[in-house]
Amino acid sequence: SQAEAEEIDVKINAEIASVKVDTVNGPVEIMRNQDTDATIDPGYAKTSRKCPPFCVQPMQVAPGVTTVGEVELLKFAEKGGKLIDGRTLEWHVEGTIPSAINMPYTEMASRLDEIGCVRGEGSWDCTNAEEVLLFCNGPWCGQSPMAIKAMLREGYPAEKIFYYRGGMQAWNSLGLTVVEGEM
């Protein structure tokens, strides 16, 4: 409600205090940490990793794929859009964005039936592909970009794919709600 929204000091932006999403464990309210002295999770504080494999990713991961920020991700999730955590299961279980399902980049090409494609003889028919939004650990993480490239290679329509480049690093740096991922 508006009265509750006014009680929240650390809002997502001037118009949005929080967003509710449905998860396998019931509804979760995504909001920013209200502790104005909070700091980033140390797991996401490291600035430098050996490249490769931890190389800075381009803003546009592939032609036709739309890169989004947190507000766009929240609106997508709030309307029931399919968020895909493209990281390995270990990372996902440690903490993910509420409502995200885990489809590791290493399995993406074989799991397109979970997001609207139908396996044909030696290829996928993605005529009825769902809109999906993929993320991984952040701008230096190649897991969701590799998943997206595998999807495109298999015939998934680029215009149905959204990429949250900021990933868990940006999500954590903004103090947004993180939940334990499902096995």
Side-chain angles (χ1 to χ4, degrees), residues 12 17-21 23 27-34 73-74 83 95-100 135 168 170-180:
I12 292 167
S18 67
V19 168
K20 279 199 173 84
V21 297
T23 73
V28 171
E29 185 174 18
I30 299 175
M31 60 190 306
R32 293 179 67 198
N33 186 330
Q34 295 300 296
L73 182 152
L74 288 165
L83 290 181
T96 192
I97 297 171
S99 82
F135 65 91
M168 293 305 297
W171 192 261
N172 273 281
S173 75
L174 293 171
L176 289 160
T177 305
V178 173
V179 295
E180 190 174 296

Side-chain angles (χ1 to χ4, degrees), residues 59-78:
M59 189 58 74
Q60 184 175 26
V61 70
V65 174
T66 302
T67 301
V68 299
E70 295 76 22
V71 172
E72 295 84 4
L73 182 152
L74 288 165
K75 288 178 180 176
F76 183 86
E78 187 176 35

Side-chain angles (χ1 to χ4, degrees), residues 85-152:
D85 184 339
R87 303 174 300 161
T88 58
L89 181 62
E90 299 77 28
W91 278 104
H92 175 74
V93 169
E94 197 172 294
T96 192
I97 297 171
S99 82
I101 59 167
N102 186 226
M103 293 179 74
Y105 72 100
T106 54
E107 301 171 12
M108 185 57 75
S110 63
R111 292 179 59 184
L112 296 178
D113 56 323
E114 296 175 39
I115 49 177
C117 298
V118 178
R119 191 183 288 280
E121 290 196 29
S123 66
W124 288 98
D125 174 359
C126 293
T127 305
N128 296 314
E130 297 178 49
E131 280 193 343
V132 294
L133 192 156
L134 283 84
F135 65 91
C136 51
N137 277 322
W140 47 267
C141 181
Q143 293 177 84
S144 57
M146 283 191 272
I148 290 168
K149 289 171 184 161
M151 293 167 74
L152 295 170

